[in-house]
Amino acid sequence: MHCAILKAEPVDGAHLLQILWQDGTESFYPAVWLRDNCQCSDCYLDSAKARKLLLEALDVNISIKELLFDRKKVYITWPSEHYSEFEANWLKKRCFSQQARARFQGELFLPECQYWGSEFQLPTLNFEDVLKDDEHAYKWLSSLKKVGIVRLTGAAEKQGEVTKLGKRIGFLYLTFYGHTWQVQDKIDANNVAYTTGKLSFHTDYPALHHPPGVQLLHCIKQTVTGGDSEIVDGFNVCQKLKEKNPQAFQILTSTFVDFTDIGVDYCDFSVQSKHKIIELDDKGQVIRINFNNATRDTVFDVPIEKVQPFYAALKEFVDLMNSKEYKYTFKMNPGDVITFDNWRLLHGRRSYEAGTEISRHLEGAYADWDVVMSRLRILRQKVKNGN
């Protein structure tokens, strides 16, 4: 963003800075915000990109004492004689207009979301390319954020490949099941995934108050018959539920449901949480789905008259997920790694037959969305700069 200042002056009793830009637009900046964000070495630690100025030292009613400007900068002297400089590009990017704020938030959080149904074409990249090449890694994470799932092919048919992906983004998300975990038929399984039975659509780990954001699943061995994977775009299904049955949507976005997980793995654990099945932000947009029928607790902390309507709403939501219009079915091959948004997608598995030997083996891991988004921002900057 390259912009030039045509005019800058204090207004509103010097409590606001008004800037007229060369492109014909204008911006206003509160004096208190400008003083709070002074970029001088006394107020800002550039090596940490962090504010040094203490809020205790800030005069919230401050005004601008003296203002100078040229095309590239604004120069402010404050009543205490403290001096601040602000670059034009820095200010323009932080304009308080609704349009400018929305643009910058889009750059920071990449909110673009492409919904899909049964016609879905699974984005696919090469595993080694993602590990070694920044452009491929950027495609991987940007598609993961936008579409919700990416398949990587060509991983070695052995344990440890998801750990490499964890290092590629930063680090994995440790849970009570370990840094990584093995999905295979186990005697006295401590999780329904460690059986050969059908797994209905679910998100992983709603028993945690902060469920893992991204799941990585690497196919090491695959059964000949059965064991197909099923996925559904939960955000798309939520939208359809809201259109079809607003009352059911309202119930699932307002009722807190108890989840539990008790057992022994990485260590012994006794986990409890409360979530709304469909979680909304302050604008009413779906930001996370919390649903695992296996770990939904027998405890249900609602008045008795709300129990049956809740079940009816949840059943309608699940029936929509399972309709042919929305779910996508595929089979993982040895060497495939699927990486997906555990807050958005619900996933399941068709049953398969148990044998005397292990016929199906996946290694799984989790990553936190904060870690994934951090790497995505860094990769985007590298690719953009041609590094």
Side-chain angles (χ1 to χ4, degrees), residues 139-155:
K139 282 182 185 176
W140 167 43
L141 296 183
S142 58
S143 294
L144 175 62
K145 181 68 175 67
K146 188 185 300 183
V147 181
I149 183 169
V150 179
R151 174 174 55 196
L152 306 179
T153 59

Side-chain angles (χ1 to χ4, degrees), residues 97-108:
S97 73
Q98 186 173 353
Q99 186 180 17
R101 286 188 289 116
R103 188 188 308 116
F104 200 11
Q105 290 295 300
E107 289 179 25
L108 292 173

Side-chain angles (χ1 to χ4, degrees), residues 300-312:
F300 194 20
D301 183 21
V302 298
I304 194 167
E305 67 273 10
K306 293 191 175 183
V307 173
Q308 195 281 333
F310 168 80
Y311 275 99

Side-chain angles (χ1 to χ4, degrees), residues 7 61 112 140 148 243 306 323 344:
K7 185 180 180 183
N61 298 308
E112 185 182 354
W140 167 43
E243 293 170 4
K306 293 191 175 183
S323 65
R344 172 180 171 183

Side-chain angles (χ1 to χ4, degrees), residues 168-350:
R168 185 64 169 110
I169 60 170
F171 51 89
L172 294 172
Y173 184 84
L174 175 63
T175 71
F176 289 109
Y177 292 95
H179 294 278
T180 67
W181 25 271
Q182 311 308 313
V183 183
Q184 55 194 33
D185 188 21
K186 298 178 183 178
I187 297 170
D188 295 329
N190 63 350
N191 191 293
V192 293
Y194 303 160
T195 67
T196 62
K198 172 182 169 63
L199 297 179
S200 60
F201 281 124
H202 65 282
T203 61
D204 271 25
Y205 239 144
L208 296 175
H209 278 108
H210 186 73
V214 173
Q215 185 166 166
L216 317 169
L217 275 178
H218 172 215
C219 180
I220 297 170
K221 191 175 183 179
Q222 182 62 284
T223 181
V224 176
T225 56
D228 297 55
S229 299
E230 296 181 322
I231 53 172
V232 66
D233 184 351
F235 287 4
N236 189 22
V237 175
C238 286
Q239 186 180 54
K240 300 302 178 187
L241 179 68
K242 186 177 182 180
E243 293 170 4
K244 183 181 177 186
N245 190 333
Q247 181 62 23
F249 183 81
Q250 191 277 328
I251 289 171
L252 296 183
T253 56
S254 61
T255 305
F256 279 98
V257 178
D258 292 78
F259 291 92
T260 185
D261 197 17
I262 299 170
V264 180
D265 200 303
Y266 186 76
C267 65
D268 49 350
F269 53 88
S270 180
V271 184
Q272 293 288 148
S273 73
K274 299 175 88 71
H275 289 292
K276 299 162 189 171
I277 299 291
I278 302 172
E279 197 169 321
L280 306 178
D281 65 12
D282 59 349
K283 297 181 179 68
Q285 297 295 312
V286 179
I287 53 171
R288 188 169 72 200
I289 297 165
N290 307 290
F291 178 61
N292 189 323
N293 207 50
T295 59
R296 186 168 50 82
D297 205 346
T298 54
V299 175
F300 194 20
D301 183 21
V302 298
I304 194 167
E305 67 273 10
K306 293 191 175 183
V307 173
Q308 195 281 333
F310 168 80
Y311 275 99
L314 184 58
K315 182 69 161 56
E316 183 147 359
F317 187 39
V318 171
D319 286 347
L320 264 180
M321 289 179 213
N322 282 291
S323 65
K324 289 181 179 179
E325 186 180 350
Y326 301 117
K327 72 177 177 180
Y328 176 78
T329 305
F330 65 102
K331 190 158 187 171
M332 293 183 72
N333 296 312
D336 287 357
V337 184
I338 55 166
T339 61
F340 60 93
D341 184 347
N342 186 55
W343 291 0
R344 172 180 171 183
L345 267 66
L346 295 99
H347 63 286
R349 179 192 70 205
R350 292 181 180 174

